[in-house]
Amino acid sequence: MQGFRYLENVTTLKLDVESCSGCGLCVEVCPHQVFAMQDGLAAVVDKDACMECGACAKNCDSGALSVDAGVGCAGGLIAEWWQDVTGRRKKAACCG
Amino acid sequence: MPGFERWLSTPGGKVAVIRSELALRDRLGGLLVRLDVGRERYAVPAGLYALGSPDAAAPVVVTANYKLTFDVVRRALAGRSLWLLVLETHGINVWCAAGKGTFGTDELVRRLQITRLDEIVSHRRLLLPIFGATGVCAPEVKRRTGFAPTFAAVRVTDLPHHLDHGGETTALMRAPTFTVLERLTLTPVELVGGFKAALPLFALVAIIGAFTGGSPVGGALYGVGALALAIIAGSFATPILLPWIPGRSFAFKGALLGAVVTAAYLATGDPTRHWHAIAAHLLLLVPVSSFAALGFTGCTPFTSPSGVKKEMRVALPLFLASVVLGAVAFGLGLGGA
Ligand code: SF4
Ligand code: SF4
């Protein structure tokens, strides 16, 4: 995404090229062009652009991809922590 | 049902044909939702709809049952004949629903079965928004139903290009945008939420201002104004100015803007104020702006949960320290007054 970059070296994205079948679906679903096909296999070409949406891992049929996808906003994280601490659910502002 | 035109009978049963033009009611409803009025239940019934007069070979577009999404989709596809498969996402947009899993593999499979789409169309292709891929596993849908999802574009407005160019998806069609206008439409909800959450703070600030200001009413208003500006700096100004504020951390961006706005407010309000008051205002209000800005990470299409977690780990202790120091500065000011 031109003009928008977030923190570096934080994403939990992992690609195990050994397991990749070369289907190319990760390239199709990633909204941030993190992957490119190289010699018929997936390669991570822009790791720091990853927003951990989980679309690639969800669609990788070979289990070559993993990422800790989850709530991406401060309100949601606080709501999660709140739930961990008190056991009660709190409504987050984002994503209704 | 919004935009209902007539019934179309198909081998799989009756399907509602919908108009692509929006009525005034649709537009007004959209406006209210953006302003966070009655946001909870803004859904259309899930199921299969027809645009134009589709036949068995017509494309199938899959979307969420959030009314605003439904309206954007039917408008973008005006003049075309195709099937619209609307999933039950409980009135939530594709991106948020995919994250929650309601715009997901199971719901898609279920909706395909309920609508008997396999009896209505002769092909086995589905067009999905790219942001739906977080919830939908294409290979699994194919295994379970025979239908093969294609993630065609981020924006439905690019779907006509995809349809007219043999299923082409250009690099631009894969990339989300985050224009000033898009950011602007997201800010009302943030602002309303920010003010609501800060109501107890407002009361506190008004009481303290009333007892410590020059006059009770003037003092209360001054404090309330400062807090309101701090929230606006974080929830409105930071999102709008996002790419132009230095730094990558949202907490930092919000703190920076909060400091500038608070300093300007102090300078115009009463330049003779004692340094205690100036320090107290900055130390107490900058965390408010910073936290409000951090909240906007939930609305962007590029921030990662790990990044937000890292920001919170750094920012929360700093907020606490700042508030404690601010309270001390305030106390010193009272003692010296
Ligand atoms: S989706 Fe998985 S198997 Fe397919 S190309 Fe990407 S990493 Fe390889
Ligand atoms: S998690 Fe999302 S943004 Fe990150 S690489 Fe996978 S698809 Fe791309």
Side-chain angles (χ1 to χ4, degrees):
Chain A
M1 255 181 102
Q2 202 120 49
F4 297 98
R5 292 292 285 192
Y6 197 41
L7 309 185
E8 309 210 307
N9 298 319
V10 288
T11 178
T12 51
L13 176 72
K14 282 191 191 70
L15 164 66
D16 167 27
V17 194
E18 303 286 303
S19 316
C20 174
S21 70
C23 72
L25 211 49
C26 52
V27 178
E28 181 183 323
V29 299
C30 177
H32 291 291
Q33 290 73 51
V34 168
F35 306 100
M37 296 307 285
Q38 285 174 5
D39 302 322
L41 294 176
V44 174
V45 292
D46 191 4
K47 191 167 180 175
D48 286 330
C50 173
M51 64 160 162
E52 297 180 315
C53 69
C56 53
K58 178 104 193 164
N59 278 274
C60 178
D61 226 16
S62 319
L65 287 165
S66 72
V67 61
D68 281 342
V71 186
C73 67
L77 285 172
I78 289 179
E80 258 179 22
W81 286 348
W82 182 260
Q83 194 175 354
D84 286 349
V85 175
T86 65
R88 264 182 301 165
R89 263 190 80 78
K90 199 167 164 286
K91 203 170 158 281
C94 57
C95 277
Chain B
M1 183 189 314
F4 178 78
E5 192 176 305
R6 63 193 157 89
W7 291 105
L8 181 74
S9 59
T10 74
K14 274 200 306 183
V15 173
V17 181
I18 48 158
R19 275 185 279 273
S20 49
E21 315 84 58
L22 303 192
L24 184 64
R25 255 186 76 223
D26 299 322
R27 291 174 197 276
L28 279 179
L31 192 69
L32 288 179
V33 167
R34 292 236 183 271
L35 295 174
D36 205 18
V37 181
R39 193 162 63 113
E40 305 299 333
R41 284 180 308 274
Y42 207 50
V44 295
L48 188 66
Y49 295 83
L51 259 182
S53 24
D55 56 15
V60 178
V61 173
V62 182
T63 188
N65 80 334
Y66 181 43
K67 170 78 165 47
L68 280 189
T69 310
F70 179 79
D71 285 349
V72 169
V73 169
R74 61 192 168 115
R75 221 163 60 144
L77 300 172
R80 289 168 187 274
S81 288
L82 42 78
W83 305 100
L84 212 58
L85 185 66
V86 176
L87 303 191
E88 177 59 84
T89 61
H90 310 285
I92 289 175
N93 66 47
V94 171
W95 169 236
C96 292
K100 289 183 202 301
T102 48
F103 189 98
T105 308
D106 289 338
E107 163 61 14
L108 178 53
V109 169
R110 185 165 52 234
R111 206 51 57 186
L112 284 168
Q113 284 157 356
I114 293 174
T115 58
R116 293 157 64 193
L117 190 69
D118 57 338
E119 295 171 42
I120 298 172
V121 297
S122 51
H123 63 82
R124 290 293 176 263
R125 291 178 312 275
L126 303 172
L127 296 171
L128 272 72
I130 287 182
F131 276 145
T134 293
V136 173
C137 174
E140 194 184 329
V141 172
K142 177 107 195 277
R143 269 194 300 276
R144 285 167 64 181
T145 66
F147 279 95
T150 299
F151 299 100
V154 167
R155 290 163 298 272
V156 67
T157 44
D158 282 332
L159 211 50
H161 177 99
H162 183 87
L163 292 167
D164 295 340
H165 293 78
E168 180 192 51
T169 299
T170 64
L172 272 182
M173 288 159 67
R174 276 188 211 295
T177 55
F178 205 37
T179 61
V180 172
L181 197 66
E182 286 171 297
R183 303 201 294 277
L184 189 67
T185 56
L186 292 168
T187 51
V189 172
E190 290 293 299
L191 271 177
V192 173
F195 276 99
K196 265 190 208 156
L199 276 182
L201 275 186
F202 273 109
L204 189 68
V205 162
I207 292 168
I208 295 175
F211 280 103
T212 58
S215 71
V217 176
L221 283 180
Y222 192 83
V224 166
L227 180 56
L229 267 184
I231 295 171
I232 292 170
S235 301
F236 179 77
T238 304
I240 299 300
L241 301 173
L242 198 60
W244 301 293
I245 311 171
R248 290 198 175 174
S249 146
F250 279 52
F252 176 78
K253 285 173 189 272
L256 197 64
L257 224 54
V260 170
V261 165
T262 303
Y265 184 73
L266 289 170
T268 54
D270 179 8
T272 61
R273 267 171 187 263
H274 199 268
W275 72 266
H276 289 130
I278 297 173
H281 271 92
L282 283 170
L283 288 167
L284 294 174
L285 292 175
V286 166
V288 171
S289 302
S290 180
F291 186 72
L294 202 44
F296 194 65
T297 51
C299 299
T300 79
F302 70 99
T303 49
S304 59
S306 295
V308 179
K309 268 184 205 148
K310 185 176 172 186
E311 285 216 51
M312 304 246 296
R313 270 198 303 273
V314 177
L316 290 186
L318 289 178
F319 289 170
L320 200 66
S322 185
V323 168
V324 170
L325 285 177
V328 169
F330 184 76
L332 287 177
L334 284 187

